[in-house]
Amino acid sequence: MVPGASNKLKAGPLNGKLSNYVSRLENKINDSRLDFLLGERSKEISFENTIEQLIGYGEDTSNVTILDLSGVPFEVLSITVSLVSRIMFEYGYYYKRLRHENNPGTDCNNDVPLLLVYEEAHKYVPNSDLVKYRASKQSIERIAKEGRKYGVSLLLASQRPSEISETIFSQCSNFLALRLTNPNDQNYVKRLLPDTLGDLVEKMPSLRAGECLLIGDAVVLPSIVQVDKCSPEPASNDIPYFQLWKEEWVSLSMEEIKKIWYKN
């Protein structure tokens, strides 16, 4: 400090930028979409509650747990996916250790195995080195490499396989490819599959609805299989815009929309 100089922060461009940064940070922290991370409810949930909910061992046991992250701001999407993935990996690791301590002769590493399914996987583990994807990429790639040793398996679902990390694909023990019409995706998948498949790979663009190419430990030989339709069946019907535009205005109940919006 120069003798006689004031140690107070003088108003200026830097101070203004800092004030704006703090204001933006406060807005993000107070964003209701982040309540699951920073809200009061998140402070009341114990570590045990979190594990039980994620693996379906809460008050109501279930075989499937669905985490809907569609409302999570993109800025924290990667770290959110990373947190969940790391918790599940650590659970499998420590549960295996516990089982071997209690029963050193056991051959089964984990009698409560998990299958983690990442829908729209190109949003979490893209073939990219950008910092904003680093957290989720590292955690999911770790599961792909080591998860099976601890009873934690990985399933990635994506309509854009050419955009997913190659590290993930190199660890696949099973591969299921549906009809691919994008040349980039076709070439990417062909490059990852063994040369011994021959003409079978060339059939991917012409597969019918529900048909897929199955390769890996699940079958003796690579095969084209038919996936049964689920119930209720997913649908993405086209909206008849031209017809609706000619009709009268529809009265919207914004209060009801807000209730279900806030509820989720």
Side-chain angles (χ1 to χ4, degrees):
M1 180 70 68
V2 178
S6 172
N7 59 358
K8 293 182 180 180
L9 182 64
K10 296 181 179 180
L14 181 60
N15 194 15
K17 289 181 180 179
L18 181 60
S19 176
N20 290 336
Y21 175 78
V22 172
S23 177
R24 291 198 301 270
L25 181 61
E26 288 178 346
N27 289 336
K28 288 186 177 182
I29 291 176
N30 294 324
D31 191 333
S32 60
R33 294 177 297 174
L34 295 178
D35 280 347
F36 73 103
L37 276 178
L38 306 172
E40 291 301 318
R41 288 181 59 194
S42 66
K43 301 174 184 177
E44 300 172 358
I45 298 176
S46 68
F47 178 73
E48 292 84 355
N49 293 149
T50 302
I51 296 293
E52 289 175 350
Q53 288 186 30
L54 290 176
I55 66 176
Y57 267 67
E59 295 180 1
D60 299 319
T61 56
S62 60
N63 288 330
V64 178
T65 299
I66 298 176
L67 300 181
D68 183 4
L69 302 182
S70 58
V72 176
F74 191 77
E75 294 87 350
V76 295
L77 182 60
S78 179
I79 190 62
T80 303
V81 173
S82 174
L83 284 171
V84 174
S85 304
R86 293 185 181 194
I87 289 174
M88 292 295 90
F89 182 90
E90 299 292 328
Y91 151 78
Y93 172 74
Y94 286 110
Y95 186 57
K96 175 182 177 179
R97 286 182 54 177
L98 177 64
R99 280 177 55 76
H100 278 269
E101 288 178 5
N102 294 337
N103 185 5
T106 182
D107 293 328
C108 180
N109 291 332
N110 193 324
D111 58 353
V112 187
L114 300 175
L115 173 63
L116 303 183
V117 181
Y118 293 86
E119 183 72 21
E120 298 291 321
H122 52 273
K123 295 180 180 179
Y124 315 127
V125 276
N127 194 14
S128 167
D129 293 325
L130 292 178
V131 175
K132 61 182 178 181
Y133 300 119
R134 185 173 298 166
S136 57
K137 271 192 69 175
Q138 289 179 345
S139 56
I140 297 176
E141 287 177 352
R142 183 187 186 192
I143 294 174
K145 295 174 183 176
E146 305 178 56
R148 280 171 290 178
K149 294 188 291 186
Y150 311 114
V152 183
S153 300
L154 181 66
L155 190 157
L156 298 187
S158 174
Q159 296 179 352
R160 306 174 189 172
S162 62
E163 297 181 18
I164 295 180
S165 164
E166 290 190 26
T167 303
I168 296 289
F169 278 114
S170 66
Q171 304 294 328
C172 285
S173 59
N174 290 286
F175 193 100
L176 191 151
L178 281 77
R179 181 165 62 96
L180 296 173
T181 55
N182 186 306
N184 291 334
D185 291 331
Q186 291 175 16
N187 295 330
Y188 183 77
V189 172
K190 289 177 183 177
R191 183 162 54 85
L192 295 169
L193 299 178
D195 298 333
T196 53
L197 293 180
D199 295 338
L200 198 59
V201 178
E202 304 299 330
K203 295 184 180 295
M204 283 192 299
S206 59
L207 292 174
R208 293 177 296 180
E211 288 185 341
C212 59
L213 177 61
L214 177 60
I215 304 162
D217 300 340
V219 289
V220 178
L221 293 173
S223 309
I224 292 180
V225 299
Q226 178 75 36
V227 179
D228 293 335
K229 292 182 178 180
C230 60
S231 180
E233 197 172 336
S236 56
N237 299 329
D238 290 336
I239 297 176
Y241 290 101
F242 186 69
Q243 174 186 337
L244 293 175
W245 282 339
K246 293 188 294 183
E247 297 178 1
E248 295 291 331
W249 284 101
V250 176
S251 297
L252 292 177
S253 175
M254 295 306 298
E255 193 62 32
E256 291 183 8
I257 296 174
K258 187 176 73 172
K259 284 181 180 179
I260 191 171
W261 196 323
Y262 284 7
K263 182 179 179 182
N264 294 322

